[in-house]
Amino acid sequence: MIEFSKGTRPDIPDLKSISGITVKSKTGSVQRSISFTYGYFNEKNHQSSYSGKRLKLTALAIDDQKYSFEYDSQDLPAFTSFSKDYWGYYNGANTSAFRFDGCSPAYTISGGVVMPVEHLDGSNRLASERLCGVGMLNKIVYPTGGYTLYEYEIHRFNDKYYYPDAAAQPSFTSNNTATPTTSNTNGGYSIGGGMRIKTIKNYDLDGTFLHGVSYKYAGGKLLTPTVQLEKHFVEFRYHNPTGLGNDDRFPSVSFYYANTEPSYLYACSLGIPATVGYDSVEKDEMDGSGNILRKTVYEFHNYSYISTDGNTNAINSRMQNAFFFNSYYDTSKGYLNGKLKKETRYSDTGSTMYVADYTYSSTKLGSALFAKCIPTHLPGFKLAAERYDLAFYRKFFTWSYPASKSETYYNGSGSVSNSSTTTYSYNSDNYQVSEQTVDDGVNSIRTCFWYPTDGKSSGTSYLTSKHNLTEVTGVDNYKNSVFVGGSKYDYTTDNGIPVVNNCYSILPNSSKTNVLEMSVVSYDGYGNIREYQKKNGTPVTVIWSYNHQMPILEVVGKTYSAVKNASSTVAALEGAADVSLNTLKSVHASLSSQLSDAYVTAIAYNQWHQVSCIISPNGYETNYSYSYGRLTQSSDASGAIQKYSYNYKQQ
């Protein structure tokens, strides 16, 4: 039984916070107690109509093990604040109106003609490095007394436009781009798009630095433009009011509209749009003295939204655009954005130890038409009630997948110790890896994977009928083009669920002989193997309990019917929600006595479904104890005890 306790919330008086969770046994005894402690962020210049507080979790206690959390303590903006940058983060700017933050395009009607408004306002939507991280988690204290510190910094990037800090308060003009017109005269980076992790450092309870990780970024690019008016060509359907010719028209027309509308970004990216990407990220792992133990540099595919010819408005450029359309025909390979291109690891002395290069292939999976609610009618056309106000544009979506991985290992002197190249081929039905070949220059090891649609195993129609196309049904292995063995599975159904029927090994002979390694005799109706036969024909029975989720008995040498007939308790155990250790000991002793030529193993669990005791066929017990998921002690029948200590700080 789980009980929840509630507490008051000064930030929202009509709602409650969860102050605690108590887990109890069926008899009512407390098995675990979890408590939550809260604090509140304060808002700056909030209105008197609400509290000006924001809830935050400051501590979590699981029984006597306490975790605490600390955050950036600067005041949050008021809930109704308009002080947001282009990306929705607080910037502290004195902006008195909510303008073009997820806006829709604006249009006016003049003389019955719909005309676009091709300018936006001059609000300060630049990012603030000081305020962007307000409210972010920066410290976790663990039950041991040790703690972790998190340090962040704002994203930095280069772009067609220069985005200085909001505190610089540059002048803005209303124009048909509405992006900062301040020129980048000092060659500095633009900032914005949220925060990135800078360092993660771990300390002992006395404040001694233990180890940590720092990150360095290079080649930042803005992947999503901010507020701009952009020209796009779309297909527009409307009814001809003149009655001349065909009534339904599909002309190619263009519209200007603000591209920060969230639905536009979502549709154009077919996913959550990225903001800033990097050419490379360096990860430095440090010891307690701050010395670098290992440095790893990750290089990524990273392409800006700006086309190679610099023209962001031309349709031929925009349709090839790296971020918005991710086109299959995109010559700039923008559909690879964020994919790892190269990984290089260095030793503590700076010597290269490992290099991996990655290549990718791409397939156009299809295209989709997206509705766009831009102008309600065609700009420049008279309004008419019969016209439809629906526009579409086509989006190609592309699947990019690993084609190869080349790895090189170096010894301490900088010489190559070994190298290999792994190449991948893919199944056209499910886009899973069908072949993987590892070539080190001496041997070529090829692994072929079979899937339900390949028809290499019997019963795979049960899988395809349930739309399971990705399960591996067999494997063939080759060395230097010579078959060296493999495996395969046949399938059947249990209570409508596709399940494995037989398991085979495949001998490396000319006929690829299948050798039966295991045959499943029956399942329990819940997808669990209840009885199977080994390669030599020996039956094995497995009894499942805890609502058919955990195995509690394994009987080698007897069928399920024989085990069930030997003890009337077995049937009751199969449907039980839990099983006591004493009950399990009694059943183990009874089966071992009545089935003297069988080998019976019993497994007991604690209330958290962790293995607490294993009773071997000879009756010897091995017991296990835990503390919050961690093994603390194991003891066997000989009296040998192993203990594990984690040195928690005393609260």
Side-chain angles (χ1 to χ4, degrees):
M1 181 171 58
I2 299 177
E3 295 180 350
F4 294 88
S5 54
K6 296 177 290 186
T8 59
R9 289 188 59 171
D11 59 328
I12 309 178
D14 295 334
L15 298 181
K16 302 291 184 180
S17 62
I18 297 177
S19 60
I21 300 174
T22 303
V23 181
K24 295 182 178 181
S25 68
K26 290 193 297 184
T27 61
S29 62
V30 176
Q31 302 295 309
R32 180 154 295 173
S33 178
I34 304 172
S35 63
F36 303 93
T37 303
Y38 301 98
Y40 292 88
F41 294 105
N42 292 317
E43 292 184 2
K44 183 179 180 180
N45 300 325
H46 70 90
Q47 296 179 357
S48 58
S49 58
Y50 63 97
S51 68
K53 295 181 180 294
R54 306 275 189 89
L55 187 72
K56 63 181 178 181
L57 179 67
T58 58
L60 165 68
I62 305 175
D63 294 335
D64 60 346
Q65 309 302 313
K66 183 179 180 180
Y67 300 80
S68 62
F69 311 95
E70 297 180 14
Y71 306 84
D72 186 307
S73 60
Q74 298 181 86
D75 287 348
L76 294 175
F79 183 75
T80 56
S81 172
F82 299 127
S83 300
K84 297 180 181 180
D85 62 23
Y86 286 113
W87 302 275
Y89 297 92
Y90 179 44
N91 69 354
N94 185 18
T95 303
S96 59
F98 187 75
R99 301 289 178 87
F100 301 103
D101 184 5
C103 64
S104 297
Y107 289 85
T108 61
I109 299 177
S110 177
V113 175
V114 179
M115 299 299 296
V117 178
E118 298 186 4
H119 68 275
L120 304 177
D121 79 309
S123 299
N124 186 346
R125 296 299 178 191
L126 296 174
S128 168
E129 185 163 14
R130 180 176 66 87
L131 298 175
C132 190
V134 169
M136 294 188 69
L137 176 70
N138 56 31
K139 184 177 182 179
I140 299 177
V141 182
Y142 304 100
T144 59
Y147 56 92
T148 298
L149 297 181
Y150 300 90
E151 182 183 8
Y152 309 91
E153 61 186 4
I154 200 166
H155 284 295
R156 286 171 166 77
F157 56 86
N158 278 320
D159 187 62
K160 177 182 179 181
Y161 300 96
Y162 178 46
Y163 297 79
D165 195 294
Q169 296 184 339
S171 59
F172 291 85
T173 59
S174 296
N175 51 61
N176 63 357
T177 60
T179 46
T181 56
T182 305
S183 61
N184 186 353
T185 56
N186 60 6
Y189 285 107
S190 294
I191 64 170
M195 306 293 281
R196 64 192 188 192
I197 189 69
K198 184 178 181 181
T199 62
I200 303 174
K201 296 182 178 180
N202 300 300
Y203 295 83
D204 205 348
L205 60 90
D206 60 1
T208 301
F209 177 60
L210 301 176
H211 50 79
V213 180
S214 66
Y215 298 88
K216 299 174 183 178
Y217 304 80
K221 294 184 179 69
L222 189 63
L223 303 185
T224 309
T226 55
V227 182
Q228 300 180 32
L229 290 179
E230 298 190 7
K231 186 176 183 180
H232 288 263
F233 287 86
V234 295
E235 295 177 3
F236 196 95
R237 180 178 180 178
Y238 72 102
H239 187 74
N240 182 10
T242 65
L244 300 176
N246 295 327
D247 284 349
D248 292 330
R249 300 287 184 87
F250 297 89
S252 293
V253 296
S254 62
F255 301 116
Y256 287 91
Y257 56 90
N259 62 17
T260 54
E261 185 182 357
S263 62
Y264 167 80
L265 295 179
Y266 182 84
C268 288
S269 65
L270 284 181
I272 303 302
T275 303
V276 176
Y278 292 95
D279 292 344
S280 66
V281 177
E282 177 183 320
K283 176 183 177 183
D284 296 332
E285 300 173 51
M286 302 171 286
D287 62 15
S289 300
N291 300 317
I292 295 178
L293 294 174
R294 186 171 71 173
K295 178 174 73 174
T296 306
V297 177
Y298 302 93
E299 299 177 34
F300 299 93
H301 288 276
N302 189 40
Y303 305 95
S304 172
Y305 70 93
I306 301 173
S307 61
T308 54
D309 62 5
N311 187 347
T312 60
N313 287 328
I315 186 61
N316 60 340
S317 297
R318 183 53 86 179
M319 286 299 290
Q320 304 299 326
N321 182 279
F323 171 75
F324 284 104
F325 289 89
N326 294 345
S327 171
Y328 177 66
Y329 306 105
D330 184 0
T331 56
S332 67
K333 305 300 182 185
Y335 48 76
L336 293 176
N337 266 352
K339 292 190 179 295
L340 185 61
K341 182 162 57 175
K342 185 174 184 178
E343 176 184 352
T344 307
R345 300 175 193 165
Y346 301 88
S347 68
D348 56 349
T349 61
S351 300
T352 302
M353 302 301 295
Y354 171 82
V355 176
D357 292 284
Y358 301 83
T359 65
Y360 301 86
S361 297
S362 298
T363 298
K364 184 177 70 172
L365 298 181
S367 61
L369 288 177
F370 289 92
K372 180 62 185 176
C373 296
I374 43 181
T376 54
H377 297 280
L378 291 175
F381 281 71
K382 289 286 185 177
L383 291 173
E386 295 92 348
R387 290 200 182 109
Y388 299 98
D389 54 354
L390 186 59
F392 293 94
Y393 60 89
R394 186 179 298 277
K395 156 78 174 172
F396 293 101
F397 45 98
T398 304
W399 175 51
S400 302
Y401 47 89
S404 69
K405 177 182 179 181
S406 298
E407 299 175 279
T408 304
Y409 293 85
Y410 299 85
N411 55 32
S413 63
S415 301
V416 175
S417 58
N418 61 75
S419 63
S420 64
T421 298
T422 304
T423 56
Y424 306 92
S425 298
Y426 293 82
N427 185 293
S428 59
D429 293 321
N430 57 19
Y431 303 107
Q432 301 295 304
V433 174
S434 59
E435 289 190 13
Q436 174 181 297
T437 303
V438 181
D439 194 329
D440 62 2
V442 177
N443 295 304
S444 177
I445 307 300
R446 179 164 59 98
T447 305
C448 300
F449 301 94
W450 306 114
Y451 299 95
T453 56
D454 294 322
K456 296 289 185 177
S457 302
S458 65
T460 53
S461 59
Y462 298 122
L463 294 170
T464 57
S465 67
K466 298 296 183 180
H467 308 289
N468 184 348
L469 305 181
T470 61
E471 180 161 337
V472 176
T473 60
V475 176
D476 286 348
N477 300 298
Y478 296 83
K479 182 177 181 180
N480 299 326
S481 301
V482 177
F483 179 70
V484 294
S487 60
K488 61 172 280 190
Y489 308 94
D490 289 340
Y491 293 83
T492 186
T493 58
D494 173 56
N495 199 25
I497 303 172
V499 290
V500 173
N501 186 24
N502 296 309
C503 303
Y504 301 89
S505 61
I506 305 175
L507 299 181
N509 52 34
S510 58
S511 58
K512 295 185 178 181
T513 305
N514 293 338
V515 178
L516 183 63
E517 299 289 343
M518 186 190 81
S519 179
V520 179
V521 177
S522 66
Y523 287 82
D524 64 356
Y526 296 87
N528 301 313
I529 296 177
R530 184 168 60 189
E531 181 185 341
Y532 67 92
Q533 285 187 349
K534 293 185 175 182
K535 182 178 181 178
N536 60 5
T538 300
V540 179
T541 297
V542 182
I543 303 301
W544 298 75
S545 191
Y546 294 89
N547 295 318
H548 306 279
Q549 297 183 62
M550 314 294 290
I552 60 169
L553 290 169
E554 180 192 61
V555 183
V556 179
K558 293 296 179 180
T559 63
Y560 170 73
S561 60
V563 172
K564 190 174 182 179
N565 291 333
S567 173
S568 59
T569 309
V570 169
L573 293 179
E574 287 186 290
D578 56 59
V579 180
S580 68
L581 178 58
N582 288 335
T583 299
L584 200 58
K585 286 181 178 180
S586 175
V587 173
H588 180 275
S590 174
L591 291 176
S592 297
S593 174
Q594 297 187 50
L595 306 174
S596 58
D597 55 345
Y599 298 90
V600 182
T601 300
I603 306 171
Y605 302 86
N606 61 19
Q607 67 269 32
W608 307 113
H609 290 184
Q610 298 164 319
V611 174
S612 60
C613 181
I614 297 178
I615 308 173
S616 62
N618 59 13
Y620 291 166
E621 298 180 15
T622 302
N623 294 282
Y624 303 90
S625 300
Y626 304 85
S627 176
Y628 305 102
R630 296 187 175 101
L631 180 65
T632 56
Q633 179 175 300
S634 64
S635 58
D636 60 24
S638 67
I641 298 175
Q642 290 183 324
K643 292 185 177 181
Y644 306 86
S645 177
Y646 300 94
N647 299 318
Y648 288 104
K649 177 185 177 183
Q650 297 298 315
Q651 301 296 326

